[in-house]
Amino acid sequence: MTFDPLIDDLVSANHILCNEGIVDGFGHVSVRHPERPGRFLLSRSLAPAVVGHEDIMEFELDGEPVDARGRRAYLERYIHSEIYRARPDVHAIVHSHSAAIIPYAVTGAALRPIYHMSGFLGAGVPVFEIRDAAGADTDMLIRTPALGKALAGSLGSAAYALMRGHGSVAVGASIKQVVYRAIYAEVNASLQSQASRLGEITFLNEAEAKNAAATNDQVLERPWALWKARVAARNR
Amino acid sequence: MTFDPLIDDLVSANHILCNEGIVDGFGHVSVRHPERPGRFLLSRSLAPAVVGHEDIMEFELDGEPVDARGRRAYLERYIHSEIYRARPDVHAIVHSHSAAIIPYAVTGAALRPIYHMSGFLGAGVPVFEIRDAAGADTDMLIRTPALGKALAGSLGSAAYALMRGHGSVAVGASIKQVVYRAIYAEVNASLQSQASRLGEITFLNEAEAKNAAATNDQVLERPWALWKARVAARNR
Amino acid sequence: MTFDPLIDDLVSANHILCNEGIVDGFGHVSVRHPERPGRFLLSRSLAPAVVGHEDIMEFELDGEPVDARGRRAYLERYIHSEIYRARPDVHAIVHSHSAAIIPYAVTGAALRPIYHMSGFLGAGVPVFEIRDAAGADTDMLIRTPALGKALAGSLGSAAYALMRGHGSVAVGASIKQVVYRAIYAEVNASLQSQASRLGEITFLNEAEAKNAAATNDQVLERPWALWKARVAARNR
Amino acid sequence: MTFDPLIDDLVSANHILCNEGIVDGFGHVSVRHPERPGRFLLSRSLAPAVVGHEDIMEFELDGEPVDARGRRAYLERYIHSEIYRARPDVHAIVHSHSAAIIPYAVTGAALRPIYHMSGFLGAGVPVFEIRDAAGADTDMLIRTPALGKALAGSLGSAAYALMRGHGSVAVGASIKQVVYRAIYAEVNASLQSQASRLGEITFLNEAEAKNAAATNDQVLERPWALWKARVAARNR
């Protein structure tokens, strides 16, 4: 492969997402192939914190590995394959079960942008209910292309979707943007839960959310530098 | 002894449970003897974080050590002995006082599976009330075989039980499974407490819980690798 | 420059504020120029944790850099310039989005001094609403001198102000005082949120707040030593 | 001095209390002089995390240093002097502003033992109101022997007392016991606050609390070993 810097970033994203509390032993992050948009890159089935360069596998949009070489794939790779198929604008995806967003995934309370850092939530956050797609006897996982397609349908054109009884998916135009979104969606959820106990919340309106998101997309390198430094310090 | 890898895992489990916030200076983890099912292995009376290979003692199912060599045993070893006696399917046990589960142990609020990671809670979480077994003048501890037997009776066939004014016990078929259960029961409790303030929770139904638990039991190595890596990083 | 110790403290303040959870990849801290009160010192656009001596830039009170040498300035430097212009008593400023204060910035709940450590909040904490200054279609940022002036107007003579849907600004007579205020405003917010769920709070009265603030201003070296030691340990 | 091991423990207690989140830049811990019960040992005015052997000063029960050698004493040393005077059974004292207990110090909600680890709270937790002792225009600090005496009066025979708008004081028969109490009072407060949002709490009754406290007093070495190991790891 000739796109090592992208893989470096994907490996860093794995480590950052664990270090910042978005993933633990579970969850994953992928990036669309930079040269072949019909493929994407995703680690083999590992805890993100321990993913290395050699663990990154290449997949087709049917979710099957191009060259598995004995490496076991994540059961839920169809989250990635079907969203890449449905959303040409998406070039990176994070799936996680981070703590503060789960309450919004199971109660029907709406996750909304409480401050400028999470303007990307402004267009609304859909909730995927697997029972609507596959009935009430699943194991909750997106383990087939059909379930991936149903999830992509719930996501629609949004930047972030919740999955009832499970977690969330963040999408973005780049690894740095999707990591930003996964982290600040989690922060927003925590802040919103705290604020909702104090009184009525004035959320960003649609224009404020859209404008703030556009502004923050210009400075994605700034938090990325911090997150990488923290991973490096942890690994020292 | 010829089963060093199992003891390595038991020592690791002690360190992991502290590192992940399930135990502090108190709490313990045991494993059934791999060759003699009428015995089990448990550290001498120590904070789990400082347990080493040489601290692991062997006990009979009456809770007495096989060869104490001056090592002091945990007062509450009867939690382990009586559950191993009552539950042939159980091969590992964690007793702890982790923070998020205590509120469920003292209020009667039911701990239920809020997401796929904690499907093992789906069959119900009993609460052991020591006053029912021994009256209202105890020191709360399971310090006799009779109290251990009463706790095992409350546990029944469940994977997890709460102990009023005290903590909890998790049981499993292996060290890795019981550590997983102790950690994700705690996570579930925290998520459920947060979610209950936002609105009515849609919990996993019985089928979803059972299916999800079966699926996650296939990937226990994944979080274990993370937890071991974190202990190693802490000890560097 | 001949005022290296002050710049050392400014760099330390950047690191401390990140290490203590007041800033993350975003937020900034400045100090008024020790010899030319019409100028101030502020890092170029970087995550505070990675700021070094060479990143500190000098600005005029119109918010423009004296000698940029290609270094990019924070968009929101007008928070600093306009407050220094309006408040001759202010010699250091922190802008941040720390977690516990956001709920007070979006709900109208009043942030008040719950204990002696946060007496500086006793004169009241104003909330800046950007819609009042610039309408409902901004990106929430203080990206012009006019917005900086409006914020300074809301701040008035207070030590701390909230910014709706955004964050906060702390001001002080020195770097050590403003870092103290940024940190203990955040602690106060967290304590107040917790306490408000337990019952009616007895806050410090005005005299207690003022007296406690005066006393604590005498011992600012004490927490500063801890915060510096923690940064040093993190960097080891 | 010939009692170095005791001073070692006092220095360790300073470090442990910071590391476990009970003190930050403020708060202090003392021990009664092992040979002269009319004296006590306490650090000079420093953040506990940075206290060393040479910072420990000796004080008379009037709160004055025996041999200051230029070292500045804590303003609030009268907390210690007057409690040692009033309570011959007390040999160690912690004063702190730990986060979870503050809500109980300002709302009138009663702090009660929620589990066996905090049985020492069973005899009741008094709240000291400085306004009753010195009116409504203080700086909240125990800065005179008279205020120390008033606080000791509120404490009575209890193991722990809250100070309105300020913090708490824990007392014990030894350094290890008082550190245990300071830490588990904080844990209890956090657990109680969480539990109170879920439903009616069944607290330990008086007998359970007393019995559990007596049992835990037998195993104080166990958490102490963990806390020391954590300090050592932090300092590595």
Side-chain angles (χ1 to χ4, degrees):
Chain A
M1 299 197 211
T2 60
F3 40 92
D4 278 10
L6 188 75
I7 298 198
D8 286 348
D9 279 355
L10 184 58
V11 169
S12 290
N14 273 277
H15 300 174
I16 286 168
L17 289 167
C18 185
N19 211 31
E20 300 294 325
I22 303 304
V23 301
D24 53 9
F26 301 92
H28 16 88
V29 50
S30 69
V31 66
R32 194 189 286 270
H33 194 292
E35 289 156 8
R36 304 190 189 192
R39 291 189 177 173
F40 66 97
L41 307 170
L42 175 67
S43 168
R44 69 183 175 103
S45 175
L46 277 182
V50 302
V51 166
H53 207 283
E54 68 287 0
D55 300 310
I56 304 300
M57 299 171 67
E58 199 170 319
F59 293 87
E60 303 277 1
L61 290 195
D62 62 0
E64 296 314 309
V66 174
D67 177 21
R69 282 181 269 143
R71 294 172 296 179
R72 180 179 174 183
Y74 289 120
L75 279 178
E76 296 198 289
R77 58 195 181 271
Y78 308 103
I79 294 174
H80 304 264
S81 60
E82 294 299 326
I83 291 175
Y84 285 124
R85 198 195 294 268
R87 290 278 298 271
D89 62 307
V90 167
H91 287 263
I93 299 172
V94 171
H95 167 59
S96 65
H97 324 136
S98 60
I101 61 94
I102 297 291
Y104 293 88
V106 298
T107 60
L111 187 65
R112 297 180 58 190
I114 202 168
Y115 73 159
H116 66 307
M117 301 305 292
S118 39
F120 61 90
L121 298 175
V125 178
V127 181
F128 173 71
E129 170 54 270
I130 197 169
R131 290 179 192 166
D132 295 340
D137 190 12
T138 71
D139 68 357
M140 306 302 290
L141 296 195
I142 307 298
R143 50 164 63 247
T144 66
L147 282 166
K149 190 174 175 185
L151 172 61
S154 284
L155 175 67
S157 60
Y160 197 84
L162 297 161
M163 304 158 77
R164 196 271 307 163
H166 186 161
S168 68
V169 63
V171 302
S174 68
I175 291 174
K176 286 170 190 172
Q177 191 189 49
V178 82
V179 168
Y180 175 99
R181 287 175 173 179
I183 289 174
Y184 282 105
E186 173 71 7
V187 175
N188 190 91
S190 176
L191 297 175
Q192 185 175 339
S193 294
Q194 294 291 324
S196 66
R197 292 169 208 150
L198 281 187
E200 180 101 23
I201 301 172
T202 301
F203 290 100
L204 298 202
N205 65 28
E206 268 187 62
E208 290 168 339
K210 192 177 163 184
N211 297 336
T215 294
N216 284 330
D217 281 344
Q218 305 308 311
V219 289
L220 296 172
E221 292 293 338
R222 212 197 296 171
W224 183 261
L226 170 66
W227 297 326
K228 281 198 69 166
R230 280 181 175 159
V231 166
R234 175 75 55 109
N235 290 340
R236 251 203 318 262
Chain B
M1 301 196 209
T2 59
F3 42 92
D4 278 10
L6 188 75
I7 297 198
D8 286 348
D9 280 354
L10 184 58
V11 170
S12 290
N14 273 277
H15 300 173
I16 286 168
L17 289 167
C18 185
N19 210 33
E20 300 294 324
I22 303 303
V23 301
D24 54 9
F26 301 92
H28 17 88
V29 51
S30 69
V31 66
R32 193 188 287 269
H33 195 292
E35 288 155 7
R36 304 191 189 191
R39 291 189 176 173
F40 65 97
L41 307 171
L42 175 67
S43 168
R44 68 183 176 102
S45 177
L46 277 182
V50 301
V51 166
H53 207 284
E54 69 288 359
D55 299 309
I56 303 299
M57 298 171 67
E58 198 169 320
F59 293 86
E60 303 276 2
L61 291 195
D62 63 359
E64 296 314 308
V66 174
D67 177 20
R69 282 181 269 141
R71 294 172 296 180
R72 181 180 175 184
Y74 289 120
L75 278 179
E76 296 198 289
R77 58 196 182 271
Y78 307 105
I79 293 173
H80 304 264
S81 61
E82 293 299 326
I83 290 175
Y84 285 124
R85 198 195 296 266
R87 290 275 300 271
D89 61 308
V90 167
H91 287 263
I93 298 172
V94 170
H95 168 60
S96 66
H97 324 135
S98 59
I101 63 95
I102 297 290
Y104 293 87
V106 299
T107 61
L111 187 64
R112 297 180 58 190
I114 202 168
Y115 73 158
H116 66 306
M117 301 304 292
S118 39
F120 62 89
L121 298 175
V125 178
V127 182
F128 173 70
E129 170 54 270
I130 197 169
R131 289 179 193 165
D132 295 340
D137 191 13
T138 71
D139 68 358
M140 307 301 291
L141 297 194
I142 306 298
R143 51 163 63 247
T144 65
L147 282 166
K149 190 174 176 185
L151 172 60
S154 284
L155 175 66
S157 60
Y160 197 84
L162 297 161
M163 304 158 76
R164 198 270 309 163
H166 185 162
S168 68
V169 62
V171 302
S174 68
I175 290 175
K176 288 170 189 172
Q177 191 188 51
V178 82
V179 168
Y180 174 99
R181 287 175 173 179
I183 289 174
Y184 282 105
E186 173 71 8
V187 175
N188 190 91
S190 176
L191 297 176
Q192 185 175 340
S193 294
Q194 294 291 324
S196 65
R197 290 167 211 153
L198 282 187
E200 179 101 22
I201 301 172
T202 301
F203 290 100
L204 297 202
N205 65 29
E206 268 188 62
E208 289 168 340
K210 191 177 165 184
N211 296 337
T215 294
N216 284 329
D217 281 344
Q218 305 306 311
V219 289
L220 296 171
E221 292 294 336
R222 212 196 296 172
W224 184 260
L226 170 66
W227 296 326
K228 281 198 69 166
R230 281 182 174 158
V231 165
R234 175 75 54 109
N235 290 340
R236 251 200 319 260
Chain C
M1 300 196 212
T2 60
F3 40 93
D4 278 9
L6 188 73
I7 298 198
D8 286 348
D9 279 355
L10 184 58
V11 170
S12 290
N14 273 277
H15 301 174
I16 286 168
L17 288 167
C18 185
N19 211 33
E20 300 295 324
I22 304 304
V23 301
D24 53 9
F26 301 91
H28 17 89
V29 51
S30 70
V31 67
R32 193 188 286 271
H33 193 291
E35 288 157 8
R36 305 192 188 192
R39 291 189 176 174
F40 65 98
L41 307 170
L42 175 68
S43 170
R44 70 183 175 101
S45 176
L46 278 182
V50 301
V51 166
H53 207 283
E54 69 287 0
D55 300 309
I56 304 299
M57 299 172 65
E58 201 170 318
F59 293 87
E60 303 278 1
L61 290 195
D62 62 1
E64 296 314 308
V66 174
D67 177 20
R69 281 180 270 142
R71 294 172 298 179
R72 180 179 175 184
Y74 288 121
L75 279 179
E76 296 199 291
R77 57 196 182 271
Y78 307 103
I79 293 173
H80 304 264
S81 61
E82 292 299 326
I83 291 175
Y84 285 125
R85 198 194 295 269
R87 289 277 300 270
D89 61 308
V90 168
H91 287 263
I93 298 173
V94 170
H95 167 61
S96 64
H97 324 136
S98 60
I101 63 93
I102 297 290
Y104 293 87
V106 297
T107 59
L111 187 64
R112 298 179 58 188
I114 202 168
Y115 73 159
H116 67 305
M117 300 306 291
S118 40
F120 62 90
L121 298 175
V125 177
V127 181
F128 173 70
E129 170 55 272
I130 197 169
R131 290 180 193 165
D132 295 340
D137 190 13
T138 71
D139 68 357
M140 307 302 291
L141 296 194
I142 306 298
R143 50 164 62 248
T144 66
L147 282 166
K149 190 174 176 186
L151 173 61
S154 282
L155 175 66
S157 61
Y160 198 84
L162 297 161
M163 304 158 75
R164 197 271 309 163
H166 186 161
S168 68
V169 62
V171 302
S174 68
I175 291 175
K176 287 171 189 172
Q177 191 189 48
V178 83
V179 168
Y180 174 99
R181 286 175 174 180
I183 290 174
Y184 282 105
E186 173 72 7
V187 174
N188 191 91
S190 175
L191 297 175
Q192 185 175 339
S193 294
Q194 293 292 323
S196 66
R197 293 168 209 152
L198 281 187
E200 179 102 22
I201 301 172
T202 301
F203 290 100
L204 298 203
N205 66 29
E206 268 188 62
E208 290 168 339
K210 191 178 165 184
N211 296 337
T215 294
N216 284 330
D217 281 343
Q218 305 307 311
V219 288
L220 295 170
E221 293 293 338
R222 212 197 296 172
W224 183 261
L226 170 65
W227 297 325
K228 281 199 68 167
R230 279 180 175 160
V231 166
R234 175 75 53 110
N235 291 340
R236 249 203 318 262
Chain D
M1 299 197 213
T2 59
F3 41 91
D4 278 9
L6 189 73
I7 298 198
D8 286 347
D9 279 355
L10 184 58
V11 170
S12 290
N14 273 277
H15 301 173
I16 286 168
L17 288 167
C18 185
N19 211 32
E20 300 294 325
I22 303 304
V23 302
D24 53 10
F26 301 92
H28 17 88
V29 51
S30 69
V31 66
R32 194 189 285 271
H33 195 292
E35 288 157 6
R36 305 191 188 193
R39 292 188 175 175
F40 66 98
L41 307 170
L42 175 68
S43 169
R44 67 183 177 101
S45 176
L46 277 182
V50 301
V51 166
H53 206 283
E54 68 288 1
D55 300 309
I56 303 299
M57 300 173 66
E58 199 170 321
F59 293 87
E60 303 277 0
L61 290 194
D62 62 0
E64 296 315 309
V66 175
D67 178 20
R69 282 181 269 140
R71 294 172 296 178
R72 180 178 176 186
Y74 289 120
L75 280 179
E76 296 198 289
R77 57 197 181 271
Y78 308 103
I79 293 172
H80 304 264
S81 61
E82 293 299 326
I83 291 175
Y84 287 124
R85 199 195 293 269
R87 290 277 299 272
D89 61 308
V90 168
H91 287 264
I93 298 172
V94 170
H95 168 60
S96 65
H97 325 137
S98 59
I101 64 94
I102 297 291
Y104 293 87
V106 298
T107 59
L111 187 65
R112 298 178 59 188
I114 202 169
Y115 73 159
H116 66 305
M117 300 305 291
S118 40
F120 61 90
L121 298 175
V125 177
V127 182
F128 173 71
E129 170 54 271
I130 196 169
R131 290 179 193 166
D132 295 340
D137 190 13
T138 71
D139 67 358
M140 307 301 291
L141 297 194
I142 306 299
R143 52 164 61 249
T144 66
L147 281 166
K149 190 174 176 186
L151 172 61
S154 284
L155 175 66
S157 61
Y160 198 85
L162 296 161
M163 304 158 76
R164 197 272 308 164
H166 186 162
S168 67
V169 62
V171 302
S174 69
I175 291 175
K176 287 171 190 171
Q177 190 188 51
V178 83
V179 168
Y180 174 99
R181 287 175 173 178
I183 290 174
Y184 282 105
E186 173 73 6
V187 175
N188 191 91
S190 176
L191 296 176
Q192 185 175 339
S193 294
Q194 294 291 324
S196 66
R197 290 166 211 153
L198 282 187
E200 179 100 24
I201 301 172
T202 301
F203 290 100
L204 297 202
N205 65 28
E206 269 188 60
E208 289 169 340
K210 190 177 166 185
N211 296 337
T215 294
N216 284 328
D217 282 345
Q218 304 308 310
V219 288
L220 296 171
E221 292 294 337
R222 212 198 295 173
W224 183 260
L226 170 66
W227 297 326
K228 282 198 69 167
R230 281 180 173 159
V231 165
R234 175 77 52 111
N235 291 340
R236 250 203 316 261

